[in-house]
Amino acid sequence: MSSFPVPRIADCFRDLDDPRIDRTKRHQLLDIVTIALCAVLAGAESWVEVEQWGVIKLSWVRTWLELPHGIPAHDTFGRVFSRLDPVQLEQGLVRWARLLATEAASGDGVVAIDGKSVRAAREPGQRAAHLVSAWASASQLVLGQVTVDGKSNEITAIPRLLAQLDLTDQVVTIDAMGCQTAIAAQILAQGGDYVLALKENQAALLREVMDSFVLAAPRDTTTTWEKGHGRRETRTCHTIDDAAVIAWLNPENAWPGLRSIAEVVGTRQIGSERVCHIRYYLSSLPGDAKRIAHAVRSHWGIENQVHWVLDVAFREDASRARVGHAAANLAVLRKLVLNLLRTDPTRRVGIKASRLKAGWDDTYLLSILGVTTRQ
């Protein structure tokens, strides 16, 4: 029998605890994870589809997995993934992302943090599974994911996610929910800088920052223009890093490392309709308008390059995996697949088409996993 080792799967998920009792272990845990990952890469979107992919590919899969009892039933996949510790599976995602990031070109050092709910994945009377992810704008890799506790919110989840990441020389961007002094302190302690969106949840500080841009002259200004899809967008970023202004805003040094504030004025025109919006930010960076504007703009990539793709190419919002930890754990597999496809140097088509190709072409699927075949 040929041997097709899958070292990355084994290395990245080596610490998974098996939630099953011994008498029910007809299939190896790592085999179950491997088959599920391969099936999701090949286009599967439910446990039934995962099982069907395995049944169809059984003779081929047996060339690199023993599988003495064949392919697990879809109920087995569902039970195992509903009970697997999501923290351990998320740590596997972090390990694999680090491997891929090492192979990818180094970039601009912007890490965006944002949350997303899997809308259909909820039991009656309960809220949908909510996940907070970290995304590197340069490599376009999802660096990690944590699940928001059902009785908590993103404020408690973000520090757990940050703790998994190497933030040295990175600029971390977070929306208003994460605009918290403790989070700013953690980013600095881990060697990074921050650009935090300031909104009504910090109402008094927001008013003072708005007043600052009325009363004080900006230190720096930059403007960018974009045109496409029938719309024109203009964004102008003003920054202030005057020591007296910052001291007035932060008299007790509640905001660690605060060095500048930014005002981003955006205008979007579609036909005769023109919409203007203004956003404000706190930053530990000096008042370099181009650098802060770049970080702000990069942050929206997590919406366009991760959340939107997960909904369109993976139909994540329609996923009904909801029992136990199934929603969070299946989301880890999707993000792993997204990372693997994003780092494929041969890819010339979209993510959805690439998944179809992996389903049709066994050699391509193995190449995406980084597997070298040996006869």
Side-chain angles (χ1 to χ4, degrees):
M1 181 178 68
S2 300
S3 175
F4 298 154
V6 191
R8 286 179 171 174
I9 296 176
D11 291 343
C12 294
F13 296 107
R14 62 184 179 273
D15 297 331
L16 283 181
D17 293 329
D18 197 327
R20 300 169 295 171
I21 58 177
D22 287 339
R23 65 180 175 82
T24 65
K25 296 180 181 179
R26 299 184 71 245
H27 306 279
Q28 295 294 318
L29 178 61
L30 198 57
D31 288 351
I32 293 174
V33 174
T34 300
I35 294 166
L37 176 60
C38 290
V40 172
L41 174 55
E45 296 172 352
S46 68
W47 303 128
V48 171
E49 293 174 4
V50 168
E51 178 193 4
Q52 288 301 302
W53 179 87
V55 169
I56 293 169
K57 295 288 188 178
L58 177 58
S59 60
W60 173 68
V61 176
R62 271 183 167 156
T63 62
W64 46 283
L65 293 178
E66 295 290 341
L67 300 179
H69 300 290
I71 297 296
H74 65 271
D75 285 340
T76 300
F77 284 107
R79 282 195 299 270
V80 170
F81 275 90
S82 70
R83 296 169 60 194
L84 277 174
D85 184 348
V87 173
Q88 293 182 341
L89 210 66
E90 289 158 0
Q91 289 170 346
L93 170 63
V94 172
R95 292 189 190 107
W96 209 328
R98 286 175 180 167
L99 287 173
L100 294 172
T102 299
E103 298 165 2
S106 60
D108 55 15
V110 176
V111 174
I113 308 291
D114 198 26
K116 179 184 183 297
S117 293
V118 184
R119 299 187 186 281
R122 60 180 172 184
E123 297 283 4
Q126 296 183 355
R127 72 178 186 178
H130 192 73
L131 314 168
V132 180
S133 302
W135 178 77
S137 65
S139 63
Q140 296 195 349
L141 291 176
V142 179
L143 303 178
Q145 166 194 301
V146 296
T147 306
V148 177
D149 184 88
K151 297 180 181 179
S152 185
N153 57 34
E154 290 186 17
I155 295 175
T156 59
I158 290 172
R160 290 191 285 118
L161 177 58
L162 292 174
Q164 300 179 21
L165 308 177
D166 180 3
L167 301 181
T168 306
D169 299 326
Q170 305 295 299
V171 178
V172 180
T173 63
I174 314 178
D175 207 352
M177 180 65 78
C179 188
Q180 307 289 328
T181 56
I183 290 175
Q186 182 177 352
I187 293 169
L188 294 176
Q190 291 184 225
D193 282 292
Y194 60 81
V195 176
L196 306 179
L198 180 63
K199 294 183 180 178
E200 286 76 10
N201 60 328
Q202 301 277 356
L205 182 57
L206 174 61
R207 287 193 298 270
E208 291 174 350
V209 168
M210 293 171 67
D211 289 343
S212 298
F213 281 99
V214 173
L215 301 173
R219 181 262 199 184
D220 196 14
T221 296
T222 188
T223 300
T224 59
W225 297 266
E226 290 184 14
K227 181 180 179 181
H229 304 288
R231 66 174 182 266
R232 296 180 180 180
E233 295 190 45
T234 303
R235 299 180 191 86
T236 299
C237 177
H238 307 288
T239 62
I240 296 174
D241 61 1
D242 180 86
V245 174
I246 300 303
W248 176 69
L249 293 170
N250 194 29
E252 298 179 358
N253 293 316
W255 290 93
L258 180 63
R259 295 179 66 186
S260 64
I261 56 176
E263 177 187 67
V264 179
V265 182
T267 302
R268 174 181 294 183
Q269 185 161 349
I270 303 176
S272 60
E273 183 179 357
R274 188 170 182 268
V275 178
C276 181
H277 54 78
I278 304 176
R279 297 186 177 94
Y280 295 92
Y281 298 86
L282 306 179
S283 180
S284 61
L285 296 172
D288 182 335
K290 285 187 177 180
R291 189 177 182 191
I292 292 177
H294 172 72
V296 169
R297 183 59 179 160
S298 296
H299 180 83
W300 298 109
I302 195 171
E303 291 286 348
N304 300 328
Q305 301 297 322
V306 180
H307 297 166
W308 186 84
V309 173
L310 288 172
D311 284 338
V312 172
F314 294 80
R315 300 183 68 248
E316 181 170 82
D317 250 2
S319 174
R320 300 181 68 82
R322 61 181 67 174
V323 178
H325 303 303
N329 288 335
L330 187 53
V332 168
L333 297 185
R334 295 189 195 102
K335 290 182 172 73
L336 261 176
V337 168
L338 183 60
N339 280 353
L340 290 167
L341 292 174
R342 281 269 165 77
T343 54
D344 170 24
T346 71
R347 186 170 64 89
R348 298 293 182 269
V349 294
I351 297 297
K352 184 176 181 180
S354 296
R355 293 179 73 202
L356 289 172
K357 181 180 178 181
W360 297 330
D361 186 340
D362 297 339
T363 301
Y364 179 67
L365 186 149
L366 286 177
S367 72
I368 293 300
L369 291 173
V371 177
T372 301
T373 61
R374 298 184 309 194
Q375 298 298 328

